[in-house]
Amino acid sequence: MERQAFAGDILVFYSDGLTEASNREGKFFGTGRLKTILEQGTKLSSAELADRMLEEVQEYTEGGAITDDRTLVVMKVK
């Protein structure tokens, strides 16, 4: 399916290392939390939004060991 990107659209590509990052109880960060950060950060630049997402994942895991890659690309269409 093709879809045209429009001004204001935000494209986010991420690896499962973000959504499957777990806290001390073994619960995953999940896509819902990423979606919430995205919805609350629409005014941020793409770099700021990416930083916020990575910071939130790191905070959620309480500084635990990174056991999978955390790849993230955020693009805002102008």
Side-chain angles (χ1 to χ4, degrees):
M1 176 172 86
E2 278 187 44
R3 182 182 182 280
Q4 181 176 351
F6 296 98
D9 283 353
I10 302 172
L11 306 174
V12 179
F13 301 92
Y14 57 90
S15 68
D16 64 353
L18 287 169
T19 56
E20 294 178 2
S22 58
N23 64 12
R24 293 186 194 269
E25 289 85 42
K27 295 183 181 178
F28 289 154
F29 187 78
T31 56
R33 286 184 177 83
L34 279 183
K35 183 179 176 185
T36 299
I37 297 165
L38 177 60
E39 290 170 345
Q40 295 173 348
T42 58
K43 302 279 189 223
L44 299 174
S45 71
S46 55
E48 292 169 329
L49 189 52
D51 287 345
R52 171 80 50 85
M53 289 178 168
L54 292 171
E55 288 167 4
E56 291 287 333
V57 170
Q58 184 64 20
E59 185 176 311
Y60 183 80
T61 61
E62 302 173 86
I66 298 174
T67 58
D68 196 358
D69 69 291
R70 294 183 182 172
T71 304
L72 176 64
V73 176
V74 179
M75 297 180 284
K76 295 183 88 171
V77 179
K78 292 187 176 192

